[in-house]
Amino acid sequence: MIQVVGHKNPDSDSICAALVCAELLKARGLEAKAVRQGELNRETQHILAQADVEQPEMCTGVAGQNIWLVDFSDLAQGPDDIADAEIAGIVDHHRLGDVTTTNPLEAWIWPVGCTCTILFNLFKMENAEITRPLAILMMSAILSDTVGFASPTCTQKDKDAVAELAKIADVQDLDAFIKDLLIAKTDIAGLSASELVEKDLKAYPFNDRNVVVGQIELATLEQVDGMIEELNADLQRRCDEEGLAMAALMLTDITTSTTRLLYKGEWNATLDQHADNGVLMMENTLSRKKQGWPWLQKVLA
Ligand code: MG
Ligand code: MG
Ligand code: MG
């Protein structure tokens, strides 16, 4: 049984891509199942309800197993025992991470907006049937990762995939479909500061130091107005407890592509220079991968 696994703190792409990739492997006649590394966020729950698909089971370990990675290729984002697994495949749209393999593997890494865009093209290449649930999963993941095509990570391949998938899924009103998805994406009501930081937190190796950068996608920055102190305290706690050089959190208004950056750690003084009255705003910043993290690397280099 091949386990297909997405990254830790799973977003919609890492759940949907795992489900879809498992179906692709099954279409090839292999035994495969999707697993997840964490609880689903509200947007992903909304997507699975739309598609009427069950969530993947929790990953309990991959040692000695054949696995496929989707939506990541960094060891730090994999299961803790990933070093003892046989990585047979990767489908991803991030920079190549630090995984290595003992045997040849099948790797599909494209610079597109979403892992599901690659999977859609693999289904087409292999003439595998795309059912309505699979179409909903893929188009939703693409619209999530590209924030309704607004992200600079979005490519024509992502748009073409959604156009075809919307037909298969029989989605008549794409704007309404996107609106519902983004409402679920930006729903943070009732979440604690710690849950918010954890929601989409990623570890980045940076000059041999450990750094984490999270991101919360919001309909308006006012949603977190009363929580800034608590969020900062949570970032500081993570630095202290986990020996991080930096813990940062991007608060991103997806309607204006404006991000407020919260940060704690050893480089506070450097980052303070870019802040105004203690508030660091990043204009025209929607994507952590293409805008937020590259800016941080440049400033901290
Ligand atoms: Mg992801
Ligand atoms: Mg992705
Ligand atoms: Mg994302």
Side-chain angles (χ1 to χ4, degrees):
M1 174 71 74
I2 301 165
Q3 293 195 47
V4 185
V5 62
H7 56 76
K8 284 179 177 156
N9 299 327
D11 58 3
S12 294
D13 189 24
S14 62
I15 296 293
C16 295
L19 289 163
V20 172
C21 185
E23 293 304 315
L24 179 75
L25 297 174
K26 284 187 209 165
R28 292 178 177 182
L30 299 166
E31 276 190 66
K33 70 170 180 187
V35 293
R36 63 185 161 89
Q37 295 194 74
E39 299 304 327
L40 303 196
N41 66 37
R42 287 172 190 177
E43 179 195 59
T44 313
Q45 291 173 26
H46 164 81
I47 294 168
L48 295 199
Q50 296 279 308
D52 198 15
V53 169
E54 293 290 320
Q55 66 173 345
E57 50 187 271
M58 191 70 103
C59 180
T60 54
V62 295
Q65 315 240 356
N66 262 14
I67 61 173
W68 275 61
L69 310 183
V70 291
D71 202 32
F72 78 102
S73 65
D74 280 302
L75 293 172
Q77 294 179 26
D80 293 338
D81 57 355
I82 189 170
D84 301 319
E86 172 84 28
I87 300 170
I90 301 174
V91 188
D92 190 23
H93 66 122
H94 296 88
R95 69 175 188 111
L96 180 60
D98 54 2
V99 295
T100 53
T101 61
T102 41
N103 291 302
L105 83 166
E106 182 176 340
W108 298 96
I109 301 172
W110 292 8
V112 292
C114 181
T115 306
C116 280
T117 300
I118 308 167
L119 286 166
F120 165 73
N121 281 278
L122 291 175
F123 265 82
K124 293 220 317 181
M125 272 172 49
E126 300 180 23
N127 277 319
E129 190 199 353
I130 299 175
T131 60
R132 184 171 185 274
L134 290 178
I136 298 267
L137 293 178
M138 285 191 266
M139 70 181 283
S140 301
I142 297 167
L143 291 166
S144 167
D145 260 9
T146 65
V147 195
F149 304 133
S151 172
T153 58
C154 185
T155 69
Q156 191 60 44
K157 283 193 175 67
D158 302 298
K159 293 178 187 169
D160 292 347
V162 169
E164 279 193 52
L165 289 165
K167 278 187 214 154
I168 298 167
D170 199 24
V171 171
Q172 312 281 346
D173 188 342
L174 186 60
D175 289 338
F177 186 91
I178 292 173
K179 190 171 170 224
D180 286 347
L181 186 78
L182 297 186
I183 287 171
K185 181 189 266 302
T186 56
D187 176 13
I188 59 159
L191 295 179
S192 70
S194 171
E195 285 169 329
L196 281 173
V197 172
E198 192 76 27
K199 187 169 184 267
D200 186 13
L201 192 66
K202 277 193 180 162
Y204 292 90
F206 178 69
N207 296 342
D208 291 325
R209 304 301 311 280
N210 290 326
V211 161
V212 295
V213 183
Q215 184 174 31
I216 310 172
E217 293 163 307
L218 301 163
T220 163
L221 293 183
E222 288 170 18
Q223 284 175 271
V224 287
D225 261 356
M227 299 189 75
I228 300 297
E229 261 182 56
E230 280 175 89
L231 291 168
N232 273 324
D234 190 80
L235 294 175
Q236 185 64 57
R237 178 184 64 77
R238 284 169 202 271
C239 287
D240 298 342
E241 290 178 2
E242 295 161 38
L244 303 170
M246 180 181 75
L249 181 65
M250 294 172 64
L251 306 171
T252 300
D253 180 335
I254 63 170
T255 68
T256 59
S257 296
T258 306
T259 292
R260 176 172 179 185
L261 186 75
L262 304 183
Y263 49 90
K264 288 290 171 193
E266 296 172 16
W267 302 310
N268 281 353
T270 309
L271 289 167
D272 282 344
Q273 292 170 16
H274 298 269
D276 197 7
N277 280 325
V279 177
L280 198 166
M281 297 300 298
M282 307 164 91
E283 302 301 327
N284 192 28
T285 300
L286 187 61
S287 163
R288 172 173 47 189
K289 176 165 71 179
K290 278 225 163 176
Q291 297 164 321
W293 177 235
W295 182 85
L296 276 168
Q297 282 178 289
K298 198 177 70 192
V299 167
L300 300 175

